[in-house]
């Protein structure tokens, strides 16, 4: 986030993390990983698109309505605007978002407040991107349907909106599902398997599968090598985060 907003206060995001940790406690994904990891992954992707702290906060909390969190709590603690954005993320039809209201990339100065449409689209695309990264844990039939929608609708939408990196990864990940190849995991998988050993035992399989899925979508030796180096650099911090106590006691 600081790359796009160097002077931003991260307190709001830390507060959102703590709140999400409380209400998602005990929830797991199909991989068996704590659900909170999905919230943080989506927020990270949203931050990489240049969104400000308020939108990143909404990204952390985007699935909180699926918990026992009381109605009105998000508005009380984070403001009605954040609550309304989360609601819009859950109900918006992406095909109805006018691209004239979306100006990612170099067409909109980063200092400007994003439009509601930009914020909604950033969170929805980030949500799908992380789901595609972990799609190996989805049943085959559902996996194919999600990949086809991603390939035909979401990847082109991200490209048209100016989110070229997101579009490219959505395209590559969905293509890997729709058109699998026998050599998809041939390069650097041994290194990724070794890096997974640094993670807590219950999480190794989940992260190994996610890394392998992302690796399979990369088209060249160079991009696969760069990806593996990024994993190598980030693994110590990831290991520390996964070993950290997940949440505090639930507040009334």
């Amino acid at each position: 986030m600081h790359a796009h907003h160097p002077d931003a206060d991260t307190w709001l995001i830390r507060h959102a993390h703590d709140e999400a940790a409380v209400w998602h406690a005990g929830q797991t994904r199909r991989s068996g990983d704590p659900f909170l990891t999905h919230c943080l992954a989506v927020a990270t992707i949203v931050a990489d698109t240049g969104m400000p702290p308020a939108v990143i906060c909404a990204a952390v909390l985007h699935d909180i309505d699926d918990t026992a969190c009381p109605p009105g709590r998000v508005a009380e603690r984070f403001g009605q605007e954040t609550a309304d954005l989360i609601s819009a993320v859950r109900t918006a039809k992406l095909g109805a978002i006018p691209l004239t209201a979306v100006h990612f990339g170099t067409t909109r100065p980063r200092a400007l407040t994003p439009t509601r449409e930009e914020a909604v689209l950033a969170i929805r695309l980030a949500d799908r991107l992380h789901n595609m990264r972990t799609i190996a844990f989805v049943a085959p039939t559902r996996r194919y349907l999600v990949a086809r929608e991603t390939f035909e609708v979401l990847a082109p939408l991200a490209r048209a909106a100016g989110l070229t990196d997101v579009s490219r990864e959505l395209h590559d990940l969905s293509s890997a599902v729709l058109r699998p190849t026998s050599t998809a995991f041939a390069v650097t998988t041994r290194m990724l398997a070794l890096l997974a050993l640094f993670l807590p035992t219950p999480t190794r399989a989940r992260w190994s599968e996610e890394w392998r899925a992302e690796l399979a979508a990369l088209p060249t030796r160079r991009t696969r090598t760069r990806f593996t180096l990024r994993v190598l650099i980030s693994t110590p911090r990831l290991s520390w985060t996964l070993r950290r106590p997940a949440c505090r006691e639930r507040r009334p």
Side-chain angles (χ1 to χ4, degrees):
M1 183 189 72
H2 285 298
H4 299 283
H5 303 278
D7 299 324
D9 186 357
T10 61
W11 175 88
L12 185 67
I13 299 172
R14 294 197 299 269
H15 184 33
H17 168 275
D18 292 344
E19 189 75 12
V22 168
W23 299 107
H24 286 296
Q27 290 185 339
T28 58
R29 307 196 79 210
R30 290 185 177 89
S31 62
D33 217 38
F35 193 88
L36 182 63
T37 59
H38 171 68
C39 303
L40 300 182
V42 171
T44 299
I45 297 168
V46 168
D48 287 342
T49 68
M51 289 291 104
V55 180
I56 300 172
C57 170
V60 175
L61 300 170
H62 76 280
D63 277 326
I64 202 167
D65 287 347
D66 294 331
T67 72
C69 181
R73 182 180 176 91
V74 170
E76 175 186 342
R77 290 180 172 258
F78 298 93
Q80 189 62 48
E81 185 175 354
T82 297
D84 290 343
L85 177 55
I86 293 171
S87 178
V89 167
R90 296 177 66 86
T91 59
K93 296 181 179 179
L94 294 185
I97 295 179
L99 291 179
T100 54
V102 178
H103 305 286
F104 289 102
T106 59
T107 59
R108 179 178 61 83
R110 291 172 179 171
L112 295 183
T113 301
T115 65
R116 169 62 63 87
E117 291 82 3
E118 288 172 337
V120 168
L121 186 60
I123 296 173
R124 285 286 294 274
L125 290 174
D127 180 59
R128 176 57 62 90
L129 178 52
H130 187 247
N131 284 336
M132 286 302 303
R133 289 174 178 175
T134 57
I135 202 168
F137 296 98
V138 176
T141 301
R142 175 64 178 166
R143 187 187 314 163
Y144 179 83
L145 293 174
V146 172
R148 188 173 67 179
E149 181 189 43
T150 302
F151 184 85
E152 296 177 352
V153 180
L154 276 79
L157 177 61
R159 182 175 63 251
L163 293 172
T164 53
D165 290 343
V166 172
S167 174
R168 185 179 301 111
E169 189 172 357
L170 287 172
H171 178 276
D172 292 343
L173 290 172
S174 57
S175 295
V177 174
L178 299 173
R179 297 190 292 270
T181 64
S182 60
T183 60
F185 303 125
V187 181
T188 71
T189 53
R190 181 175 298 179
M191 173 65 76
L192 294 179
L194 290 174
L195 290 174
L197 295 177
F198 289 95
L199 305 180
T201 301
T203 67
R204 289 175 187 169
R206 173 261 200 244
W207 282 99
S208 180
E209 286 295 333
E210 179 171 340
W211 289 338
R212 284 159 62 93
E214 292 185 65
L215 186 70
L218 299 176
T220 66
R221 181 187 297 271
R222 182 177 181 180
T223 56
R224 289 190 289 266
T225 300
R226 290 174 61 185
F227 170 75
T228 304
L229 289 175
R230 289 200 302 271
V231 173
L232 175 64
I233 293 170
S234 63
T235 294
R237 183 174 182 83
L238 174 63
S239 178
W240 178 84
T241 300
L242 293 175
R243 295 175 194 278
R244 182 184 178 190
C247 63
R248 61 188 63 173
E249 293 183 1
R250 178 167 294 187
R251 298 188 291 267

